[in-house]
Amino acid sequence: MSDRLRKYRVAVFVSGGGSNLQSLIDASARGDLNSRIELVLSNNPNAFGLERAKQSGIDTFVSVDEDKILSCLEKYQIDRIVLAGYLKVIGNKILDRYSNRIINIHPSLLPKFGGKGMYGIHVHEAVFAAGEKVSGATVHFVTPLVDGGEILIQEQTDISNCGSPKEIQEKVLELEHKIIVEAVKILEEI
Ligand code: GRF
């Protein structure tokens, strides 16, 4: 599908490696999405996700100032926001402006192992310490309650043979790369 005809203009927020962003970039390049990633935003100027965006010709913006972020989103006429490994809490001005149009991917079966302090490897350390036999990934709408929004899609995977939090993280990340694309597709339909 030609970019010109894409329905939604998406901004992806990253803070780190951006492998979930890459899944979206690849899906868009395959023509699997009716959305176009117009902007990649980060709080971290060294986020490799910014490099991934540049390699794909996608504009980037780095800031921690909510007003500057909001004006950038408006300049790009963004209508959907995907948080993909973004480690800052979204401010109320952005939450109000993009109500029910911001999604976040979290590497556990929410509501388990969500909330304050539950990010990155810490999630998998808690899952491992709890002796869980399954884990997974969740995409949910973003609300003022961290990791508390309505769930859009969730998928689980067997981790009974994982010997470390790192192994769990690797297994869950594969799942994330799949459901983040499915979540954007669902968002296109609602
Ligand atoms: C992923 O595990 C995601 O669930 C979490 O942060 C990690 C980001 O990975 N929010 P990447 O930057 O997309 O590679």
Side-chain angles (χ1 to χ4, degrees):
M1 174 182 301
S2 95
D3 279 350
R4 206 168 31 80
L5 300 175
R6 300 272 167 114
K7 196 170 172 187
Y8 293 111
R9 301 172 59 86
V10 175
V12 181
F13 286 31
V14 300
S15 293
S19 68
N20 279 289
L21 164 67
Q22 192 62 56
S23 300
L24 292 173
I25 290 172
D26 296 345
S28 183
R30 287 195 303 268
D32 288 355
L33 295 178
N34 186 18
S35 303
R36 188 163 188 268
I37 303 170
E38 299 288 349
L39 178 69
V40 171
L41 184 139
S42 185
N43 60 301
N44 171 13
N46 302 313
F48 187 67
L50 296 169
E51 185 54 37
R52 292 181 191 267
K54 289 169 190 163
Q55 285 169 8
S56 296
I58 300 168
D59 285 356
T60 61
F61 184 67
V62 176
S63 179
V64 291
D65 178 292
E66 189 180 23
D67 292 325
K68 288 182 181 154
I69 292 171
L70 202 48
S71 58
C72 184
L73 293 169
E74 284 160 359
K75 176 183 150 195
Y76 279 82
Q77 297 176 302
I78 297 300
D79 46 37
R80 294 286 186 284
I81 297 174
V82 178
L83 308 185
Y86 186 65
L87 298 179
K88 302 283 285 181
V89 174
I90 298 292
N92 288 331
K93 289 180 190 169
I94 296 174
L95 284 176
D96 292 346
R97 173 78 175 69
Y98 288 92
S99 175
N100 286 323
R101 292 185 293 154
I102 311 178
I103 59 174
N104 176 56
I105 186 155
H106 182 80
S108 78
L109 296 172
L110 290 175
K112 295 178 82 173
F113 307 103
K116 197 162 172 51
M118 281 292 146
Y119 61 90
I121 193 69
H122 302 303
V123 174
H124 309 294
E125 287 167 344
V127 167
F128 187 73
E132 299 286 337
K133 297 299 175 217
V134 292
S135 189
T138 306
V139 179
H140 61 94
F141 284 102
V142 175
T143 65
L145 181 63
V146 175
D147 293 336
E150 181 193 347
I151 290 174
L152 200 63
I153 184 170
Q154 186 171 76
E155 201 167 310
Q156 70 176 46
T157 184
D158 174 59
I159 58 165
S160 55
N161 60 357
C162 290
S164 69
K166 188 78 186 136
E167 280 183 41
I168 297 173
Q169 182 175 47
E170 284 161 6
K171 197 154 188 189
V172 168
L173 199 54
E174 281 172 34
L175 214 47
E176 292 179 51
H177 295 162
K178 183 165 91 65
I179 70 168
I180 190 99
V181 174
E182 289 167 13
V184 171
K185 285 183 186 171
I186 294 169
L187 209 51
E188 291 169 352
E189 302 304 324
I190 48 181

